[in-house]
Amino acid sequence: MDYQQIKMKVQEVLERGGFSRDEPLDSIELISSSKAGPISPVQIGAFSSVLSFAGEWDRAEAVARSIPEDPGERGLALSELAQRLAAADLLERAEAVVRSIPNSDDRSGYMVEKVTALLAIASKFLTQSNYEHARAVLDEAEIAIEHLKHPDHLSVSLLGDLANLLTKNGQVDRANMFWDKAIDTAQASIQSYRAGGAPDVDTWKALEIIADDLFPVDVVRAERAIALIDNEAWRERARARAHKRKSYCSQAYQALNSATRPV
């Protein structure tokens, strides 16, 4: 049973009145009643994903936690659930779910999703001006991100996102450390790809975003990020985008200043 089939089964159950409230795990048996044989961890994760899309939070969490003997798939399912909870502004629950996922050096796939969830939660707290709580979640993200050992575009993007949120939370010195880590990781990723004879296009894209975020506050670091893009056309495009972003931010700041200046 693939993801689309599971989605259709869930929809059928919901249209018939929904699931029993007595036992969340009954949903697996109900949805997969026509399937012979054991249900794989990947399929159980897909059940959890579909249920979270339907707003069946308790059921989605119970199903995710039921994944047996596969911490990687369980971590992926819980990380995805935490991201959806954060998007729905259920931040305390999202935080509880993501904190229950153990850190690991061996399963980087779910660690990427765990860091993504933590950053999404912190971003939501920042939009609520809850800076103290955002700081606590960013501390967790910093610990988790250290488990991403392989230098690639995902690590670059997450390090840049962490630095950007730290900047917004007023932790400038700490942010600068992670801006530098993001740029150093990008350099290692690009060199690895070039050694294999290929361009690292995904890391170029990550560096463009980093340059966009950095240019209004730190031109030197932004230029360092842009210089790593080892393709002239991409490099010039990134520089033009970053200058445009800086100009836009400057105009927005001046407009805000004018609007709030006493007459």
Side-chain angles (χ1 to χ4, degrees), residues 39-109:
I39 305 170
S40 72
V42 173
Q43 288 172 321
I44 297 174
F47 285 130
S48 176
S49 175
V50 171
L51 289 163
S52 68
F53 262 123
E56 292 274 341
W57 304 117
D58 292 342
R59 196 171 307 279
E61 183 172 351
V63 169
R65 293 194 185 283
S66 77
I67 296 174
E69 301 176 0
D70 196 327
E73 286 299 329
R74 187 162 58 247
L76 280 170
L78 289 170
S79 296
E80 184 175 353
L81 174 61
Q83 291 174 44
R84 299 236 173 93
L85 286 164
D89 288 325
L90 300 171
L91 299 185
E92 289 185 6
R93 182 161 188 177
E95 188 177 358
V97 168
V98 79
R99 285 180 185 274
S100 74
I101 304 167
N103 290 329
S104 171
D105 292 334
D106 300 324
R107 289 172 285 273
S108 61

Side-chain angles (χ1 to χ4, degrees), residues 21 46 51 58-59 82-83 92 107 109 118 121 131 133 147 157 159 161 165 185 194 204 209 213 218 223 229 258:
R21 294 293 165 186
L51 289 163
D58 292 342
R59 196 171 307 279
Q83 291 174 44
E92 289 185 6
R107 289 172 285 273
L118 286 164
I121 294 165
Y131 301 108
H133 215 145
H147 291 265
S157 294
L159 286 163
D161 290 343
L165 291 174
T185 301
R194 281 301 183 191
W204 296 349
I209 294 170
D213 290 335
D218 191 331
E223 285 287 358
I229 300 173
S258 299

Side-chain angles (χ1 to χ4, degrees), residues 14-37:
L14 292 174
E15 288 173 356
R16 290 199 304 264
F19 298 96
S20 164
R21 294 293 165 186
D22 297 333
E23 175 51 65
L25 292 182
D26 285 347
S27 57
I28 292 180
E29 295 181 9
L30 183 59
I31 297 167
S32 60
S33 58
S34 62
K35 181 183 183 298

Side-chain angles (χ1 to χ4, degrees), residues 124-137:
K124 285 281 188 172
F125 279 128
L126 284 173
T127 62
Q128 298 174 358
S129 299
N130 191 340
Y131 301 108
E132 184 175 349
H133 215 145
R135 179 173 188 136
V137 178

